[in-house]
Amino acid sequence: MSRDELKPGDICLIIGARRVMSNIGKTGKLVQLVHPGDTLKAPDGRTIVYGSDEAAWLVRGAPLCSITFGGRVCEGFALCDAHHLMKLKGDKEQPRELATDRVREAEGVLL
């Protein structure tokens, strides 16, 4: 998915990952696009400096976790590349059913 198509507040399904594979198949809410060197607050209050060389989306959600470049595990958020996110659409469908359908659609991308 193009970075331009995503915006804060969107609900997305994580369909890929660079570091934390356990986030694949989970959903979260986009908070902001984080750029290299940006400082952000983890849900537990810790300050994190984003040390990657590419921008990523800060995604919040209870089942998500992230591993910082210092090796700390932080729960409640993930940093995801735009191409690892699939925006969920359609407010008439149940979120879990929609997420399951989107994971099935993305299986070709993940293989």
Side-chain angles (χ1 to χ4, degrees):
M1 172 155 273
S2 164
R3 219 181 290 175
D4 298 332
E5 296 175 37
L6 300 171
K7 63 184 182 313
D10 285 347
I11 304 298
C12 287
L13 174 68
I14 299 173
I15 60 170
R18 266 199 269 179
R19 299 183 77 191
V20 184
M21 301 303 166
S22 63
N23 287 333
I24 297 172
K26 296 179 181 173
T27 59
K29 184 177 185 177
L30 299 184
V31 177
Q32 71 184 67
L33 187 61
V34 180
H35 299 278
D38 284 356
T39 301
L40 54 121
K41 287 276 189 197
D44 65 3
R46 290 188 271 186
T47 300
I48 298 169
V49 177
Y50 182 58
S52 182
D53 56 349
E54 296 180 25
W57 278 95
L58 173 62
V59 183
R60 293 271 168 117
L64 301 176
C65 73
S66 186
I67 300 172
T68 67
F69 287 94
R72 294 186 299 189
V73 174
C74 299
E75 296 182 357
F77 79 99
L79 291 161
C80 301
D81 296 334
H83 65 275
H84 289 151
L85 297 170
M86 180 181 290
K87 185 175 174 180
L88 298 178
K89 298 178 184 177
D91 53 10
K92 292 185 180 180
E93 297 181 66
Q94 294 296 322
R96 185 170 303 282
E97 292 171 9
L98 182 59
T100 301
D101 291 344
R102 298 294 184 176
V103 168
R104 287 184 187 131
E105 289 174 15
E107 283 178 345
V109 176
L110 297 174
L111 296 177

